[in-house]
Each structure stands twice: as C-alpha cells, then as structure tokens.
Amino acid sequence: QVQLEESGGGSVQAGGSLRLSCETSGFTFSTYCMGWFRQGPGKEREGVAGMDSNGYTEYADSVEGRFTISKDNAKNTLYLDMDSLEPEDTALYYCAAVQSVAHSWYLLEQAKYDYWGQGTEVTVSS
C-alpha cells in the first residue's frame, strides 16, 4: 500500500523559510519520480518542483531560485526547502509519486502522477 505523508507546514512571515518533508512507504522510492504541488486559495493546483530517479529537477518559474527539492533515498523521504517565502506561496502543499514520466517537463504535470499525499498547509503573511 503506497503512502505519502507531508509535514513541516506552518505560518511564517514573508522572507522566512520552511522545510517540507514527505515520508513515503509501499513502493521503491529511489526508482520513482517525485513532485511537489500546491493549491492556493481560489486557485487551481499547480506543479512546484519535481525530481526524477536520477536527481534531475524541474521548477516552476515562480519558485526557481527560492525553492529546492531534494530526497533521501535511505529514509524514503522527499523534501522541499522554501526560502524567501512570499504571501503568494500560501497554499496547501502536496507531494506526489509516479514510477516514471516520458519527458522531463511532465515532472510538473499533476495528471502524470499516480499517488498523492493529503497535503500540509503553508501560510505566509506580509
């Protein structure tokens, strides 16, 4: 049974930092593509960052240079380090997993992912 559980969300002021974690089980984590997605108030869910099994990464333009996706295969855990947070980053953040994607840009395509966590809330105040 595949499970993904996000943690690390919270409330911070603009300019602050947070680290999100996604603990996984039930699949061979090191061989899967992983992604972070978010859904802000009144917005559609969007891709934030993705990583393939080789460590290749993709970022949304809005977070490039501020967010960093990483993983620890020994702990079956995915991370998202978020720096220089802005009020526009306020959202429910989800991690997701898929065995593979055909193209690197699919790493930010939510429709390509098979497994999802429940999300962790991030609120950034100005």
Side-chain angles (χ1 to χ4, degrees), residues 27-56:
F27 64 102
T28 308
F29 177 77
S30 62
T31 68
Y32 270 56
C33 298
M34 301 295 298
W36 285 101
F37 296 80
R38 69 184 181 186
Q39 186 167 16
K43 299 179 181 179
E44 294 186 355
R45 190 160 59 183
E46 62 177 354
V48 174
M51 176 181 278
D52 71 10
S53 59
N54 295 316
Y56 175 83

Side-chain angles (χ1 to χ4, degrees), residues 62-112:
S62 59
V63 306
E64 181 88 54
R66 300 189 298 122
F67 290 11
T68 303
I69 187 172
S70 62
K71 63 178 181 174
D72 185 333
N73 288 334
K75 296 182 178 180
N76 294 331
T77 301
L78 181 74
Y79 302 101
L80 185 68
D81 288 295
M82 305 186 295
D83 297 317
S84 302
L85 283 161
E86 304 168 352
E88 293 73 23
D89 296 318
T90 294
L92 186 62
Y93 283 72
Y94 302 88
C95 68
V98 62
Q99 190 165 19
S100 64
V101 295
H103 303 287
S104 60
W105 54 88
Y106 286 169
L107 290 170
L108 299 182
E109 294 288 333
Q110 58 178 317
K112 301 299 182 183

